[in-house]
Amino acid sequence: MAAIDTPFPVTRPRYTGILEWVTTVDHKRIGALYLWTTFFFFVTGGLLALALRAQLATPDGQILNAEAYNAAFTMHGTTMIFLFVVPVWTGFANYIIPLQIGARDMAFPKLNALSYWLLLSGGIILYSALLVGPPASGWTSYVPLSTLPYSPSHGQDLWLLSLTVLGFSSIFGALNMIVTIFALRAPGMTFSRITLFTWSVLVTSFLLVLAIPFLTVAGVLLLFDRLAGLSFFATSEGSDPLLWQFLFWFFGHPEVYIMVLPGFGVVSEILPVFSRKPIFGYKMIAYSSVAIGFLSFSVFVHHMFVAGVDETLQVFFMISTMLIAVPTGVKIFSWLGTIWHGSLRFKTPMLFALGFIATFTIGGISGVFLGAVPEDVQLSDTYYVVAHIHYVLFGGAVMTVFAAMYYWIPKMSGRMLNERLGQINFLTIFVAMNLTFFPQHELGIEGMPRRIFHYPQSPEWGTLNLISTIGAFLIAVGVAIFLWNFFTSVILGKGKPAGDDPWEADTLEWATTSPPPVYNFPRIPVVHSARPLKEDQPHT
Amino acid sequence: MADRTVVRGRRGTPAVDRLAVNDSGYEQQPTRFNSGMWAIIMFVGSEIMFFAALFTTYFFLRGKIPAWEPVFGEKPTWQGLPLVNTIELLTSSVTMQLAVRAIKKGDRRRMIQLLIATVILGAAFVTGQAYEYTRLGFLPRDGVFAGVFFTLTGFHGAHVTGGVIFIAICLYRGLRGQFTANRHLAVEAASIYWHFVDVVWIGLFTTIYIIG
C-alpha cells in the first residue's frame, strides 16, 4: 500500500495574513473565528451586566438612569443569548464535529463561512443601534412596548433586523451541521458510535432549523408594522399582544435547549475521560436528547401563563413542561453513573463539568417549580425567574463553555492551559456564580420584580442585592483569570505542549495532531467502535 | 505554521496510525442521499416552519377579528384570476415532475422542453399575482386583513419567483449540456422546492380565497 506513505497534498492558501482569515473556508478557522467573536461578545455582555449589578447594589443607585438601565438589560440579554451562547456552540461544533466524525471539513465550507460572516454582521447591526438610540424593550421585545408608538427609536428596528440576520446565520450553520453529520461520517462511524457531543449538536441543529423561522416571521411582521405601517400587532385594529408571544415563545423555548443541549454533550464527553470509564447509558443519553428536542416544541405556553391563555391549555403545558424533567433526569443520573466507581482525575474540565451538574440541577428543579401554574403566576416577572434562567444559562451553558474551553483549547492551539490557574478559575466562577444568582431566588419569592432600576428601601433586599452585585464582580474576576490564563499559556506560548491526546481521551479528534492539519487526517480512518482510540488491534 | 505540516506524532507512533487504515477507496459513510439532497430537504423543512408561522398568524388574527375584510375595496374571491393562477401552478408541478422523470431516463431534450414549460407557467403565476394586486383596490396598510393578505401571498410570490430562478438556472445548465441520468441533483432539488411552493399555494388558496 504505497499510497499510505504519500502525505495528503498540502494546499497553499491564495492569500496570507488577515485576508487568509477573511477568505477562509476551513472549518477549524471558521470555528476559531466563531469562538473569538462570541467570547468578545461574552465580555461585552458581561460588562453590561456589571453596569446593571452596580446600579442595583443600593436601592436607589445613581449609575444608570431608567432609560439606560432598560437599554443595558436589553442589550445584555440579546448579546448573551444571540451573540454568545448560541453561536459559541456553533463555533465548538464547527471545530470539533468534523474531527469527531472523521471528516475533512463541513459539507458546505462556503456556506459555513457565510454563516460566520452573517453572525458578525448581525452583531454589528445590533451594536450600531447604540448610534441611533438603543433598543430598550428587553430581549423578548414584547408588543405593544416594542411597537412604534412606545419604542420610536430606530434602535428597535435594528434589533429586529439583527435578529433576522442572526437567524439566517443560525439556520445555514445548523443545516450545514446536519448534512455534515448525516453524510460525512467516516466509514464505520455509525449513529451508535458518534460521540454524544455530536448527538446533542445534531438535535440542537434540528431545533435551530425548525424553530428560528418563527422568530424570523415575528421579527419581519413587527418590522412591517413599524416601517410600513401595517397592523399585525395593532390592538387598535383588533389584534392582540398574545400573537407576538405565541410566535416568539414557539421559537423561544426550543431556544433554551438550543443553548444547553450542546453543553450536555460536552459534559458527556468530559465525564468518561476524567473518570477513566466509558460513558454510562450512551443510548439513553442520546435518546433523551432527541426526546428533549421533541418536547421542547410542546411547552412554550408556560412562558405565557399570566398573559391570559385558556385554563385547559395551561394544564396541558404545565404537564408537558414537567415532563421535560424526565429526559433531563435520565441524563443527570447517567452522568452520576459515569462518575460512580470511576477513578477520577480532577483536572479543570472535569471540575467545570462537575460544577455544572450541581448548578444545572438547581436551575432544572426551579424550572419544574416555575412550570406549575400557581407557582408561575406567583413568581412571574420576579427575580426568581432571573435566578432560574441564570442557573440554567450560566450554571448550564457558561459552565460547560468553560469546560469545553479547557478541554479542547489544547487540541486547537497545541498548548495546555495552566492547570493551577484553571483550578482557581473554576473556584472563582463557581463560588461567584452561586453568590450572584442564589440570593435572587429569595428576592423573587419576596416579590422583587425584574427589569426595574430602583427598588424600595428595605434592609433585606438591600443586603441580598449587594451580595448579588459582589458575586457579579467576582464572576468578572473569574473571567479575567481565564483570559490571563489563555494569554500566557496560548498567546505567549508558555503552556506545556499538548501532544495529540493530552487527556487520554478516546474519540477521533484526539487521533490527529494538536493543532490539526488543514486536512484533519492524513487518511480517513475506519472506525469499529464508539471509542476508536481504545481499539486494541488495528484492523488493517 | 504547524497546521500546514504533515502529521507526525510527537511520541513515537502518531495516534492516527494506531487506527485501522481505510483502503476502501471511500472516505465517507455510504448514504442513501448525498449532501445536496439532505441540504434541500432540511432547507424545505425550515421553509415549512416559516410558512407555519405565517399561517399561525393568519388563523390567530382571523379568530380575533370578526370583520375579516379590507377597509377599502372588495374582499378577493377565488373565482377568476386566482383560479387560473392555481391551475397554472398545479400544472407546472406536473411538468416539473415529468422533467425529473425525463432526465432520470437520460432524455435531456425532453427535460429541457418540460423545464421551459415550467418556467413559463411559473412566470405566468407571478405576473398574474402582480396583476391581481393592482386590481384589488386596497393597500397593505388598509387594516389587518389587507396586511395579512399581502404578507402571506407576497411571501409566497417571492418564493415562487425564487423557484422560477432556480428552475431557469437548471434550464440554462441543461442547455449547456449538463445533467445525465445519474447526475441531476439540481433538477431534483428544484423539483422538491417547487412542489413545496405549490403545496403552500394550495393552503393559501384554500384558507384565504375559498374559506375566507
Side-chain angles (χ1 to χ4, degrees), chain A residues 142-144 233 235 239-249 300-301 304-310, chain B residues 60 64:
Chain A
Y142 270 19
V143 298
F233 302 106
T235 37
S239 181
D240 190 311
L242 266 182
L243 174 59
W244 171 269
Q245 297 184 28
F246 268 116
L247 294 174
F248 185 86
W249 288 117
F300 67 101
V301 172
M304 300 151 58
F305 284 159
V306 289
V309 285
D310 188 70
Chain B
F60 183 92
K64 284 282 169 203

Side-chain angles (χ1 to χ4, degrees), chain B residues 29-75:
Chain B
Q29 286 277 20
T31 53
R32 194 155 160 249
F33 295 143
N34 61 16
S35 305
M37 207 61 177
W38 278 123
I40 194 76
I41 291 169
M42 292 316 302
F43 179 70
V44 167
S46 193
E47 289 274 41
I48 288 171
M49 294 306 278
F50 182 84
F51 278 99
L54 287 174
F55 274 104
T56 306
T57 310
Y58 178 89
F59 287 116
F60 183 92
L61 293 172
R62 175 78 183 81
K64 284 282 169 203
I65 297 167
W68 192 242
E69 54 195 13
V71 180
F72 307 107
E74 292 281 304
K75 196 172 171 182

Side-chain angles (χ1 to χ4, degrees), chain A residues 8-29:
Chain A
F8 194 83
V10 175
T11 50
R12 203 169 285 116
R14 196 184 296 170
Y15 304 100
T16 49
I18 191 153
L19 269 181
E20 191 185 343
W21 283 90
V22 173
T23 57
T24 188
V25 291
D26 174 16
H27 74 96
K28 295 178 290 298
R29 298 207 152 192

Side-chain angles (χ1 to χ4, degrees), chain B:
Chain B
M1 277 184 59
D3 58 354
R4 270 186 237 125
T5 56
V6 179
V7 176
R8 202 167 284 126
R10 288 194 180 84
R11 307 165 305 173
T13 330
V16 74
D17 279 354
R18 298 202 300 271
L19 289 171
V21 173
N22 168 27
D23 49 3
S24 62
Y26 292 100
E27 288 220 326
Q28 282 135 25
Q29 286 277 20
T31 53
R32 194 155 160 249
F33 295 143
N34 61 16
S35 305
M37 207 61 177
W38 278 123
I40 194 76
I41 291 169
M42 292 316 302
F43 179 70
V44 167
S46 193
E47 289 274 41
I48 288 171
M49 294 306 278
F50 182 84
F51 278 99
L54 287 174
F55 274 104
T56 306
T57 310
Y58 178 89
F59 287 116
F60 183 92
L61 293 172
R62 175 78 183 81
K64 284 282 169 203
I65 297 167
W68 192 242
E69 54 195 13
V71 180
F72 307 107
E74 292 281 304
K75 196 172 171 182
T77 54
W78 62 272
Q79 292 98 337
L81 197 49
L83 185 63
V84 176
N85 263 342
T86 309
I87 293 167
E88 282 166 7
L89 210 54
L90 288 176
T91 318
S92 74
S93 241
V94 176
T95 55
M96 189 67 214
Q97 195 54 39
L98 289 175
V100 174
R101 250 172 75 171
I103 195 63
K104 274 188 175 162
K105 287 180 188 154
D107 191 348
R108 195 184 306 132
R109 214 182 127 77
R110 183 144 181 76
M111 178 201 75
I112 289 169
Q113 291 165 353
L114 286 160
L115 286 184
I116 291 173
T118 315
V119 169
I120 291 172
L121 286 166
F125 176 89
V126 178
T127 321
Q129 183 91 48
Y131 180 65
E132 195 204 343
Y133 280 175
T134 62
R135 290 199 318 173
L136 284 172
F138 57 85
L139 290 170
R141 59 170 65 191
D142 294 336
V144 178
F145 172 85
V148 172
F149 176 82
F150 272 101
T151 306
L152 264 67
T153 56
F155 268 121
H156 177 261
H159 281 76
V160 176
T161 313
V164 169
I165 293 168
F166 193 176
I167 296 167
I169 291 171
C170 290
L171 176 60
Y172 172 77
R173 289 183 57 186
L175 291 168
R176 291 282 303 270
Q178 300 178 12
F179 303 128
T180 63
N182 290 325
R183 293 181 67 90
H184 51 264
L185 173 70
V187 186
E188 269 196 83
S191 105
I192 290 175
Y193 183 75
W194 193 248
H195 295 324
F196 154 73
V197 167
D198 199 359
V199 170
V200 170
W201 176 254
I202 294 171
L204 284 178
F205 185 67
T206 317
T207 45
I208 296 188
Y209 289 93
I210 296 181
I211 302 172

Side-chain angles (χ1 to χ4, degrees), chain A residues 84-304:
Chain A
F84 172 57
V85 180
V86 176
V88 80
W89 291 129
T90 317
F92 277 117
N94 242 304
Y95 201 109
I96 298 300
I97 298 268
L99 292 167
Q100 282 194 334
I101 62 172
R104 296 216 185 279
D105 206 316
M106 298 280 284
F108 305 106
K110 286 179 188 166
L111 186 67
N112 200 18
L114 176 68
S115 305
Y116 169 73
W117 293 106
L118 282 176
L119 167 79
L120 188 64
S121 317
I124 293 170
I125 292 170
L126 181 67
Y127 273 85
S128 66
L130 296 181
L131 304 173
V132 293
S137 42
W139 82 274
T140 52
S141 274
Y142 270 19
V143 298
L145 178 58
S146 56
T147 56
L148 198 56
Y150 305 101
S151 293
S153 126
H154 277 304
Q156 188 65 42
D157 299 323
L158 289 169
W159 185 91
L160 291 162
L161 185 63
S162 159
L163 257 57
T164 308
V165 171
L166 292 172
F168 277 109
S169 162
S170 291
I171 289 175
F172 293 150
L175 186 151
N176 205 347
M177 198 59 75
I178 293 171
V179 178
T180 306
I181 295 172
F182 276 174
L184 296 190
R185 281 164 294 130
M189 183 62 87
T190 59
F191 271 108
S192 55
R193 291 175 184 161
I194 60 174
T195 63
L196 286 167
F197 182 61
T198 312
W199 263 111
S200 63
V201 168
L202 183 64
V203 175
T204 305
S205 302
F206 269 100
L207 295 185
L208 280 165
V209 165
L210 299 176
I212 295 262
F214 270 72
L215 175 71
T216 310
V217 164
V220 167
L221 297 186
L222 186 52
L223 269 181
F224 282 175
D225 269 18
R226 293 175 56 88
L227 298 177
L230 270 60
S231 35
F232 283 105
F233 302 106
T235 37
S236 57
E237 305 274 343
S239 181
D240 190 311
L242 266 182
L243 174 59
W244 171 269
Q245 297 184 28
F246 268 116
L247 294 174
F248 185 86
W249 288 117
F250 191 84
F251 144 81
H253 204 83
E255 172 82 351
V256 173
Y257 294 96
I258 288 165
M259 291 190 276
V260 84
L261 269 174
F264 293 171
V266 168
V267 169
S268 310
E269 295 293 296
I270 289 173
L271 290 178
V273 168
F274 293 89
S275 307
R276 286 182 266 204
K277 263 180 74 191
I279 186 86
F280 179 86
Y282 171 95
K283 279 189 180 167
M284 280 303 127
I285 296 182
Y287 294 163
S288 62
S289 296
V290 179
I292 288 176
F294 276 107
L295 282 174
S296 72
F297 280 105
S298 66
V299 300
F300 67 101
V301 172
H302 69 214
H303 294 273
M304 300 151 58

